[in-house]
Amino acid sequence: MMIKAGFSRCLVLAAAAVVLTGCGGLGSPGPHTRTGEATEPARPASATPHAVSGNSGEPPSPGLSGTDSVPGAFPDAYRRWGLDRPLAPPPRPAVKPPLAAVWPPAPGLATVIRRVDTTDRVVFLTLDDGIEKDPAFVDQARDLGLPFTQFLENEVIGDHYDYFRRLRELGNRIGNHTLTHPNLAGKDYATQLHEICGQQQVLHDRLGLEPRLFRPPYGEYDRVTLEAAAECGLGKLVLWRAEMEPGGLVYRSGDGLRPGDIILAHFRGPDLLEGRTMTDMITSMLREIQAQGFTVARLEDYI
C-alpha cells in the first residue's frame, strides 16, 4: 500500500469517494496557469543535490524498456501535425544527472525540482489537470512519439480515467495533482494529506499506479506540503520554468528555453485556448521548441 501507516484509511477512502464537480482552480488564485513563488527556507550548507536511481514507481510502459523513446507510428507524421521536421530523438542518459533541487533532499520531505541539471539540448513536457479529453491528441501523441508526464486532478477527470490510461499506454507516465486543485500553501496537515493521499489512492484504484512525482496546484507549497507529499509516497515535487499559454511560451526568468527546462502545459480545449484545439496548442509549442534548437525528452529518464 503506497499510503503509510498513521494516515487514516477512512479519510483516504472518503476522499476517493467524494463526488466532485466544476473546474477546481479556474477561479482564484488563477486559471491553473501562472503561479507565485513559495516561501522556501535557506538551503542547509550540508544539503546538496544528488543523483537518484530507480524508476517512477509505476509499472513498465507497455512495449517500452528503460529509456526507449515512445515510438512514432508514422515516419512522416510530423507533416500531418503541422511540423516542418520530426522531433529529434532525445539522448539516452546512462546515469541520471544530479538533481537541480530548489529544496534539496531532506529526511521526511519531498525534493523540489524546477529544472533538470543537464547540458543535453532537451526540455520536458508536463500536462496538468485533465479538463480536455481530446481524442485527436491521443493520435497526435502516438504519431509523433511525443513523451510527456501527466499530472492528473480527480475533480476534472471524474469517470474518464480511461482517456489518460490510453495516453499512459503510449509510455507517458502519470503524476499526482491533488483531488480538487486547491492552493495548498498555508493549509493544515490533515487537509493537505487528504488532497494528496486521496488522489494517490484514486490513481491506485482507477489505474493501478503508485506515482512518485507530485505537482502542487498553482506551484504553491510550503514545508507541510513537502511533509504530506512524502507521507503519501511522493518523493519529488515538480515545478517548471516555462509555460505554454495561448500566445506561446512564457518564462519565469529570461526569454528563451534552456537545457533541462520543464514546460508546463494543460489538457485544455478551445474554450480555454482562445478557440484553438489542444492539438493546435501542442503543434505551436513543438514548433517553438524546435526553433530554439531543442527536442523533448521523457522527464522520468532524467529524474
Side-chain angles (χ1 to χ4, degrees):
M1 183 65 176
M2 87 289 282
I3 300 173
K4 296 183 180 179
F7 178 61
S8 168
R9 180 168 178 82
C10 292
L11 177 60
V12 175
L13 294 177
V18 173
V19 178
L20 299 166
T21 59
C23 295
L26 289 180
S28 176
H32 290 44
T33 52
R34 293 183 200 244
T35 70
E37 293 285 347
T39 302
E40 299 164 10
R43 177 178 296 181
S46 61
T48 56
H50 64 286
V52 175
S53 61
N55 57 36
S56 68
E58 297 188 31
S61 305
L64 299 178
S65 174
T67 58
D68 288 349
S69 297
V70 181
F74 306 104
D76 61 349
Y78 66 93
R79 295 191 181 96
R80 173 185 177 188
W81 297 106
L83 299 180
D84 297 326
R85 59 187 183 277
L87 288 173
R92 300 181 180 184
V95 178
K96 294 183 180 183
L99 294 176
V102 176
W103 193 316
L109 299 181
T111 300
V112 181
I113 304 164
R114 192 184 303 283
R115 56 175 297 275
V116 172
D117 188 9
T118 182
T119 58
D120 294 343
R121 299 289 291 180
V122 298
V123 295
F124 306 94
L125 174 58
T126 61
L127 292 167
D128 281 12
D129 304 334
I131 295 174
E132 180 73 3
K133 303 156 189 74
D134 184 352
F137 176 61
V138 179
D139 296 337
Q140 184 183 42
R142 181 199 63 233
D143 291 354
L144 296 177
L146 178 64
F148 57 89
T149 302
Q150 312 168 70
F151 287 96
L152 301 184
E153 171 204 344
N154 187 64
E155 181 175 57
V156 296
I157 295 174
D159 293 329
H160 301 288
Y161 277 92
D162 282 350
Y163 175 83
F164 303 96
R165 185 193 304 276
R166 292 168 65 194
L167 293 172
R168 175 68 183 85
E169 289 170 350
L170 296 177
N172 299 299
R173 300 295 180 86
I174 289 175
N176 184 319
H177 197 44
T178 73
L179 286 168
T180 66
H181 207 277
N183 184 337
L184 293 173
K187 289 185 167 51
D188 61 78
Y189 184 69
T191 298
Q192 297 204 38
L193 207 65
H194 169 90
E195 283 287 338
I196 300 169
C197 282
Q199 179 63 351
Q200 196 78 336
Q201 185 68 54
V202 169
L203 293 171
H204 175 79
D205 292 345
R206 301 299 296 268
L207 298 173
L209 303 179
E210 298 182 8
R212 293 293 178 263
L213 302 183
F214 174 63
R215 171 162 286 157
Y218 313 106
E220 297 287 354
Y221 66 95
D222 56 18
R223 186 182 181 90
V224 173
T225 311
L226 303 185
E227 293 172 351
E231 178 71 15
C232 299
L234 295 152
K236 298 181 182 71
L237 188 152
V238 180
L239 302 177
W240 61 91
R241 179 179 167 266
E243 180 174 349
M244 187 63 186
E245 295 190 348
L249 287 170
V250 296
Y251 307 94
R252 296 182 69 92
S253 61
D255 58 0
L257 292 170
R258 301 171 185 171
D261 273 351
I262 297 171
I263 300 174
L264 167 66
H266 295 83
F267 288 97
R268 288 185 174 165
D271 55 334
L272 294 172
L273 291 175
E274 298 180 356
R276 298 195 303 164
T277 66
M278 183 167 178
T279 57
D280 292 337
M281 181 268 291
I282 293 293
T283 295
S284 295
M285 179 176 57
L286 293 178
R287 290 177 70 90
E288 283 197 61
I289 290 169
Q290 290 181 317
Q292 295 188 48
F294 291 89
T295 193
V296 183
R298 182 183 294 111
L299 181 61
E300 289 82 358
D301 288 350
Y302 281 76
I303 67 170

